[in-house]
Amino acid sequence: MAYTETTTVGYGSRVGNSFKAIGSGFLLFIAGTALLWWNEGRAVKTEKMLDEAGGAYVEMENPNKKDASLDGELICGTAMATTEDSLTDAQFGIGAKAIAMKRSVEYYQWVEHAQEKREDKLGGKEEITTTYTYTKEWVSRPVESAGFKDPAYQKKNMVLTTYEPMEQYAENVSFGAYQLNESLIHSISSREGMDLAIAEDLLQQFDKSTQAAYERFYGVQKSTQQPVQQPVQQPAIPDSVRALLSDSALAVIDSLQAVTDSLNRQMENAENKKDLEYVHQASNVLYFGRVPGSPEVGDVRVTFEKIVPAKVTVMAVVDGDTFKPYKAKNGKRFQTLVMGKKTGDEIIDDAKSANNTFLWIFRIVGILMVIGGLKGIFGFIETILKVVPFIAGIFGWGIGVVCSVVGVAWSLIVIAIAWLFYRPLLGISLLVLAGFLIWVFAFKGKDKLKELAAKARTKTPEVQPVPQQPQNLENV
């Protein structure tokens, strides 16, 4: 069930907050402008660096053999990334010979969600209705439920145990006859689930501590373990009786005895390998809780993964028996590792595509920041008019339109000026477009309103006088 909380903000407080927002609006406007300027310079420098790298790299034909002639050259080569380093997770007593080992932890918790609805009231007050809903979810951190708004859900969360996520990487990763540097090692993404070989006594310790935590919160629960099955007893046949039986009958008896012995061995192995009640292993996941398929609040699951040797392609500068980033003339640096086999041209094209994607992402973010800053600066006008919500809504819409147009125009001007330093033709084109938008808004918009008003006047029908009927003198 949802929990609702309603608060009212007075007119004076709203006006005061709107004036305070002017300073935040200026900061957001300046930050958006700075982001747009930085982004254009970054994109142009990155593209020039990639063009330079695309014309400078050489193919490393055989990475398995060192070539002194390639020292200091930007190369592109493909080989297996391998390691002999052994990594260990001491907390769980497991390890592997791997490039990296990662541990992720999730907790099953109640999570609070809030949804606001704002409504203006006559006189300038604002009524804020907040609806809180609660769902059980797997999250990366325990959720403190004591601060939940709904008292029915407060202190409903607990965890059976806590563990920190962990990542560790091998220090020595070979790329043929060369060694990868730390940045390139962290770019390898050939993940696999780890085979868990946790010691039985450690699992029993986990089970005992988890049970204690469970019972402190939920109370003592009935055990879910199945009763131990008794071994199947096959009656022994005396030798005197066996002598009277035929060979086929003896073969059937012997086969039944073999089946019975097999079943007894399976039950013995199952009994020796005790099924723990509060800790369960499934593939590369260690689950803390009673029933993994039906989680309860407080359950924890720990997932173990490793980065295994894989074929990779490296584009970097050879530095002795390792690699370093390529430094372009404009100071930008570049090195990369991609999974599988790729040519240098493919890597450069992918990098250019990523650069263009980031360019537009930052452009959109910057423009929205500029518009948001302008709305914060001039939002006090709408707030002052909130005494009559209908009028404030009309003015608010107009202020939003003006801020959006001016914000886009300003952003285009900033982008154009930034590009003037690098590509004058495109910069001039953007300046012309920004000027056109301002002209349309400032002059043509005014002329259009006058034109519409004139048309409205001409289309208004004139009121004709009603002709008087002549009086009939004969009826007078």
Side-chain angles (χ1 to χ4, degrees), residues 452-466:
L452 291 175
K455 287 183 178 180
R457 286 196 299 270
T458 57
K459 290 182 179 180
T460 303
E462 296 182 0
V463 179
Q464 299 295 331
V466 179

Side-chain angles (χ1 to χ4, degrees), residues 20-135:
K20 292 178 183 178
I22 294 176
S24 301
F26 270 114
L27 291 176
L28 189 60
F29 177 82
I30 293 171
T33 302
L35 176 63
L36 291 171
W37 180 271
W38 168 83
N39 181 47
E40 299 305 320
R42 177 206 60 80
V44 173
K45 289 179 180 179
T46 300
E47 185 174 352
K48 287 186 175 182
M49 177 270 293
L50 291 173
D51 288 336
E52 185 179 325
Y57 81 90
V58 295
E59 293 287 348
M60 178 179 277
E61 300 293 340
N62 185 13
N64 295 316
K65 183 179 179 181
K66 289 184 181 179
D67 187 346
S69 65
L70 294 178
D71 197 39
E73 295 286 345
L74 175 64
I75 60 88
C76 178
T78 302
M80 287 292 296
T82 60
T83 185
E84 294 298 321
D85 289 1
S86 294
L87 305 177
T88 302
D89 188 333
Q91 196 164 13
F92 291 90
I94 58 176
K97 184 182 290 185
I99 295 172
M101 188 165 62
K102 303 186 178 185
R103 178 215 300 167
S104 59
V105 187
E106 296 172 285
Y107 304 88
Y108 199 64
Q109 300 279 272
W110 281 109
V111 179
E112 182 179 69
H113 304 276
Q115 185 175 8
E116 273 189 0
K117 180 182 179 183
R118 296 174 176 264
E119 185 177 359
D120 294 324
K121 297 295 183 180
L122 195 63
K125 294 182 179 180
E126 182 183 38
E127 186 176 88
I128 305 173
T129 302
T130 308
T131 302
Y132 298 93
T133 56
Y134 300 86
T135 57

Side-chain angles (χ1 to χ4, degrees), residues 171-237:
E171 295 182 359
N172 304 294
V173 178
S174 300
F175 178 80
Y178 298 85
Q179 296 289 317
L180 296 178
N181 60 37
E182 183 178 359
S183 177
L184 295 176
I185 292 173
H186 286 213
S187 299
I188 304 173
S189 58
S190 51
R191 291 193 178 191
E192 282 187 6
M194 287 187 62
D195 295 327
L196 301 184
I198 302 175
E200 186 69 22
D201 58 344
L202 185 57
L203 287 175
Q204 290 178 357
Q205 291 179 23
F206 289 157
D207 186 74
K208 185 176 180 180
S209 60
T210 304
Q211 180 179 1
Y214 186 96
E215 292 179 351
R216 279 196 303 268
F217 188 79
Y218 287 105
V220 179
Q221 300 289 326
K222 186 178 178 180
S223 175
T224 58
Q225 290 188 5
Q226 298 296 326
V228 179
Q229 296 182 359
Q230 298 298 323
V232 179
Q233 297 294 337
Q234 181 73 18
I237 301 176

Side-chain angles (χ1 to χ4, degrees), residues 424-436:
L425 182 61
L426 183 57
I428 293 172
S429 301
L430 290 174
L431 283 174
V432 170
L433 178 58
F436 175 75

Side-chain angles (χ1 to χ4, degrees), residues 202-362:
L202 185 57
L203 287 175
Q204 290 178 357
Q205 291 179 23
F206 289 157
D207 186 74
K208 185 176 180 180
S209 60
T210 304
Q211 180 179 1
Y214 186 96
E215 292 179 351
R216 279 196 303 268
F217 188 79
Y218 287 105
V220 179
Q221 300 289 326
K222 186 178 178 180
S223 175
T224 58
Q225 290 188 5
Q226 298 296 326
V228 179
Q229 296 182 359
Q230 298 298 323
V232 179
Q233 297 294 337
Q234 181 73 18
I237 301 176
D239 292 339
S240 58
V241 177
R242 292 179 65 90
L244 299 175
L245 298 176
S246 62
D247 293 340
S248 58
L250 289 173
V252 172
I253 292 173
D254 291 339
S255 63
L256 289 175
Q257 184 63 48
V259 171
T260 301
D261 293 341
S262 176
L263 289 174
N264 287 335
R265 284 194 300 271
Q266 292 177 13
M267 286 189 291
E268 183 179 358
N269 292 335
E271 183 179 356
N272 291 336
K273 187 178 181 181
K274 184 180 178 182
D275 183 20
L276 301 177
E277 188 173 357
Y278 290 88
V279 177
H280 311 272
Q281 295 184 66
S283 184
N284 64 322
V285 177
L286 188 62
Y287 192 96
F288 295 83
R290 284 168 58 82
V291 184
S294 181
E296 298 176 274
V297 171
D299 286 7
V300 181
R301 61 186 184 192
V302 186
T303 304
F304 300 88
E305 295 178 309
K306 60 182 177 181
I307 303 294
V308 298
K311 179 181 289 187
V312 299
T313 299
V314 170
M315 196 171 204
V317 174
V318 178
D319 183 24
D321 63 348
T322 185
F323 301 96
K324 67 180 182 180
Y326 172 77
K327 186 176 181 180
K329 294 178 181 178
N330 60 13
K332 295 286 287 184
R333 297 176 181 272
F334 175 72
Q335 69 173 352
T336 187
L337 179 148
V338 297
M339 304 304 298
K341 180 176 176 60
K342 281 197 173 185
T343 65
D345 290 345
E346 289 175 335
I347 292 176
I348 295 295
D349 289 343
D350 290 344
K352 287 184 176 180
S353 178
N355 181 49
N356 191 56
T357 300
F358 281 115
L359 170 66
W360 280 102
I361 290 174
F362 286 128

